[in-house]
Amino acid sequence: MTDTAAVEILADVHRGVGRIRLNRPKALNALTTGMVAAIDRALVEWERIPLSAVVLASTSAKAFCAGGDIRTIREHSLAGDAEASERFFASEYRLNARIAEYPVPIVSLIDGLCMGGGLGLSVHGRFRVVTEGAVLAMPETGIGFFPDVGASYFLPRLPGAIGMYLGLTGHRVDAADALYTGLATHFVPGEGLDAVGDALADSPGDPVDVVLNRLAGRSPVARSGLAEVRGDVDWAFGAPSLGEIEKRLRHLDSPWASSALAALESASPQSLEITHALLARGRQRTLRECLSAELALTRTTIRTPDFLEGVRAALVDKDRSPNWQRASLGGRTLPS
């Protein structure tokens, strides 16, 4: 572990509970290769000791994790060192798989932004606690990429066509929507979040679900905006093709449909094509199969003009829309 990674990832064991805290607040805990390696190393080491749970949290209420460090990925691409970016994604996806298969319950405490790689850290664990300040999203189609970190596995398993909607549009969900969709498992008010670790340590013999329910505030799930438009979401985004999705959104002619259509029109056409194909196949695949397919796609996608343009627009020229390549995938096929 490098000195930098040791500072950006704080890991210890406290009274039988493993604690991993993301500590890169100025960058909204955007993940670097060193941070991923540090988290993975801690989890490997803790497999040898008896723990009642592992808590994954942030030292800042502003963000749990805003995703991967796309600034560094862009720098690698511009420098002609795409292999460095590939190493990051490969190590990140290995960590996602480890979290999903970890023998001890992992409890993610999500307060603030949780996007992209942040969902990869949290959603594969058994318990995802959100506060009233939580905001979750997979916004990759807006930067010329596609929902990765196992999203082709977990998005298709959300109710109805919600996963396809979230993956294609990058729509941000709040705590109520996260609970409604199953992206989150529990709600705890922000002021009570710091008590979770101690509560788990105080009750090592109790099921984690029981401990979390003791701390839970009144669930906001009844205020879910997605629940209100669920019928339209399922009809429009359950269509068999991107063209049919667009056609159905235009037919609905509602504020929600107009917003969804605008999100599709602002996204990378290449990314939409990749995402739709991945999510359509994801329900038939295991998590490891999904991660393998995503890694194969990552190796080519990070070299495309759409990805470089999308990241440039996000980091350098935020007031302008990306100038997407309007051609399709150029004959490339997706991994089968």
Side-chain angles (χ1 to χ4, degrees):
M1 182 187 301
T2 65
D3 290 340
T4 299
V7 172
E8 295 174 342
I9 297 296
L10 307 176
D12 66 1
V13 175
H14 178 67
R15 298 167 58 206
V17 174
R19 301 187 302 185
I20 297 175
R21 290 174 290 168
L22 283 66
N23 188 41
R24 197 185 178 204
K26 290 184 178 179
L28 302 179
N29 292 329
L31 294 171
T32 64
T33 303
M35 293 170 69
V36 169
I39 296 170
D40 193 62
R41 186 175 297 111
L43 292 177
V44 170
E45 291 175 356
W46 293 346
E47 286 183 350
R48 301 195 296 267
I49 61 178
L51 296 176
S52 58
V54 171
V55 173
L56 184 57
S58 168
T59 60
S60 168
K62 192 172 184 179
F64 173 76
C65 174
D69 189 346
I70 60 172
R71 185 181 299 276
T72 299
I73 294 168
R74 177 176 184 266
E75 290 171 355
H76 288 158
S77 296
L78 292 177
D81 189 11
E83 291 183 0
S85 295
E86 290 178 21
R87 287 193 295 273
F88 165 75
F89 287 109
S91 62
E92 185 183 27
Y93 299 171
R94 283 194 298 270
L95 175 59
N96 299 150
R98 186 181 304 283
I99 289 171
E101 298 166 359
Y102 206 63
V104 173
I106 294 180
V107 182
S108 293
L109 307 182
I110 303 171
D111 193 18
L113 294 176
C114 179
M115 299 186 177
L119 276 168
L121 290 180
S122 56
V123 78
H124 297 299
R126 293 187 218 175
F127 301 99
R128 288 88 62 190
V129 179
V130 291
T131 73
E132 65 278 6
V135 178
L136 289 69
M138 294 298 294
E140 287 77 12
T141 60
I143 59 166
F145 199 52
F146 60 90
D148 63 332
V149 295
S152 59
Y153 176 83
F154 66 79
L155 286 179
R157 286 165 173 78
L158 298 184
I162 288 176
M164 185 67 76
Y165 167 56
L166 298 182
L168 290 175
T169 66
H171 175 74
R172 296 186 176 194
V173 304
D174 59 13
D177 285 340
L179 291 161
Y180 174 73
T181 60
L183 289 172
T185 60
H186 294 78
F187 174 79
V188 172
E191 64 268 18
L193 209 59
D194 290 342
V196 172
D198 286 337
L200 291 168
D202 290 339
S203 306
D206 292 347
V208 171
D209 181 64
V210 171
V211 176
L212 294 177
N213 284 335
R214 290 179 191 143
L215 300 172
R218 184 174 181 178
S219 173
V221 70
R223 300 193 297 273
S224 169
L226 278 178
E228 294 180 2
V229 295
R230 172 69 185 278
D232 288 347
V233 170
D234 287 353
W235 183 66
F237 285 86
S241 68
L242 286 169
E244 183 63 20
I245 289 174
E246 179 180 345
K247 180 180 178 181
R248 292 184 184 186
L249 288 172
R250 294 188 186 282
H251 176 79
L252 286 170
D253 192 26
S254 66
W256 169 81
S258 296
S259 177
L261 191 60
L264 293 179
E265 291 174 341
S266 67
S268 157
Q270 170 185 274
S271 296
L272 294 177
E273 189 175 345
I274 293 173
T275 299
H276 187 270
L278 272 179
L279 299 188
R281 300 174 185 177
R283 190 177 287 272
Q284 286 75 45
R285 290 173 165 170
T286 66
L287 173 59
R288 285 192 173 271
E289 288 171 340
C290 287
L291 289 168
S292 178
E294 291 171 10
L295 183 58
L297 278 169
T298 294
R299 293 191 173 105
T300 55
T301 304
I302 61 175
R303 292 174 166 85
T304 62
D306 265 18
F307 177 71
L308 293 176
E309 171 63 11
V311 176
R312 183 205 65 78
L315 296 177
V316 180
D317 199 4
K318 296 181 181 180
D319 292 334
R320 291 188 181 178
S321 299
N323 183 22
W324 302 123
Q325 297 288 314
R326 290 297 163 183
S328 65
L329 293 178
R332 291 188 287 113
T333 57
L334 300 181
S336 60

